Amino acid sequence: MSGGAREAAPEGAPEAALEVLRAGALTTLQDLGRPGYAHLGVPRSGALDAGAYGLANRLLGNPPDAAVLETTLDGVGLRALSPVTVAVTGAPCAVRVSGRAAAWGAPVRLRAGAELEVGRAESGVRSYVAVRGGFAVPRVLGSRSTDLLSGLGPAVPVAGTVLPVGPAGPDPARGADELRAPGAPTELVLPLRLGPRADWFEPASVAALWRAEFRVSPASNRIGLRTEAGARLVRGRGGELPSEGMVLGAVQVPPDGLPVVFLADHPVTGGYPVVGVVPPGPPLNAAAQAGPGLPVRFVRG
């Protein structure tokens, strides 16, 4: 089940739309996701950095569930096929309109034919491009999010894809949000609530977890933040754990002993033991902006 983003068509183009000129390393459509379908095997999905996603929509006066573009590392290039207003949040980056510098973290008006270039992340990983009215791709199970694990939702945009824009609401109140570019993170600190399978590991190994410094692995993605180079968790009991339900923020430990923090596109079940869970909130949002090599520590949550 997928759909939504349409290939460019000279005739019958929507009244308001943006055309993808450069898709970047990975650009997907995201909203608040589709919670409540885990019993059907459907992950939650949705924007990884919920704070940056929400702010982008507030800057434009959009509904809190409006669909945006989530970019990865090197941004995206778009052409306005009609006059629209956009905003870029998340990872700080250069924003240019038809070659001229434009504001990051503020509404930017585009004339028909104007080209928006969202550049490489200067710190962090993912930027968010919102448009007033939201991207009006069809919903799948109530959401416009692209789920890379299950394949649900809109197809990943490519060069030439035309993204329709919904009706614009009233202009937001001035000063509703003040946004400053965050400094480059030096460490990701994740609060961890132990359980449900912390007893599957040696007590000394669990105690060492609070002192260990891991690093973000380059293999991390929307499914999970993988770690490397830290103290490996040692199993205290053998055998296999039957598959059981997984939640956002679950910290699963595969056979190599290095924790994996489940993010928005995580599977709904898993067979490796979960040593603990990182609760939703700003620290888990920050995991979306943690690039390869960034130090990671777990603290008692």
Side-chain angles (χ1 to χ4, degrees):
M1 298 173 63
S2 65
R6 298 184 288 109
E7 294 307 308
E11 297 181 5
E15 291 185 2
L18 288 160
E19 178 187 1
V20 178
L21 301 178
R22 181 181 65 84
L26 176 64
T27 297
T28 59
L29 286 141
Q30 299 296 336
D31 58 13
L32 292 175
R34 45 183 69 87
Y37 293 99
H39 64 295
L40 299 177
V42 177
R44 177 191 183 98
S45 196
L48 285 193
D49 188 340
Y53 160 81
L55 180 56
N57 278 324
R58 290 197 305 273
L59 287 168
L60 299 176
N62 283 343
D65 63 346
V68 308
L69 291 176
E70 178 184 275
T71 73
T72 308
L73 292 175
D74 65 348
V76 68
L78 305 167
R79 176 187 291 121
L81 302 183
S82 56
V84 293
T85 302
V86 299
V88 181
T89 64
C93 58
V95 179
R96 304 187 74 82
V97 175
S98 298
R100 295 188 175 185
W104 174 91
V108 175
R109 182 70 171 168
L110 304 182
R111 297 180 177 179
E115 295 184 2
L116 173 71
E117 177 64 23
V118 177
R120 177 172 293 276
E122 296 169 0
S123 64
V125 176
R126 294 173 175 90
S127 297
Y128 292 84
V129 184
V131 59
R132 185 167 295 161
F135 290 102
V137 297
R139 298 179 189 269
V140 177
L141 293 179
S143 171
R144 295 184 167 104
S145 287
T146 300
D147 180 350
L148 298 178
L149 183 64
S150 71
L152 288 174
V156 174
V158 297
T161 298
V162 171
L163 300 169
V165 175
D171 289 351
R174 289 186 177 275
D177 282 288
E178 294 293 335
L179 181 59
R180 296 181 180 178
T186 58
E187 184 180 47
L188 178 65
V189 180
L190 297 174
L192 183 69
R193 298 174 183 172
L194 289 179
R197 302 299 177 188
D199 60 348
W200 276 58
F201 300 93
E202 294 285 355
S205 184
V206 174
L209 179 64
W210 313 120
R211 302 188 299 272
E213 182 178 282
F214 300 91
R215 291 199 306 266
V216 176
S217 166
S220 300
N221 53 29
R222 281 186 49 86
I223 296 170
L225 183 145
R226 296 181 177 273
T227 62
E228 61 182 13
R232 297 172 187 267
L233 285 161
V234 179
R235 289 269 291 264
R237 57 186 292 184
E240 295 297 326
L241 180 69
S243 289
E244 55 187 1
M246 293 291 139
V247 299
L248 180 68
V251 180
Q252 194 181 64
V253 183
D256 65 5
L258 294 171
V260 178
V261 184
F262 276 173
L263 302 180
D265 284 357
H266 69 84
V268 298
T269 61
Y272 297 135
V274 171
V275 69
V277 177
V278 178
L284 195 57
N285 293 343
Q289 303 296 357
L294 188 74
V296 181
R297 283 193 304 113
F298 293 99
V299 297
R300 295 182 184 273

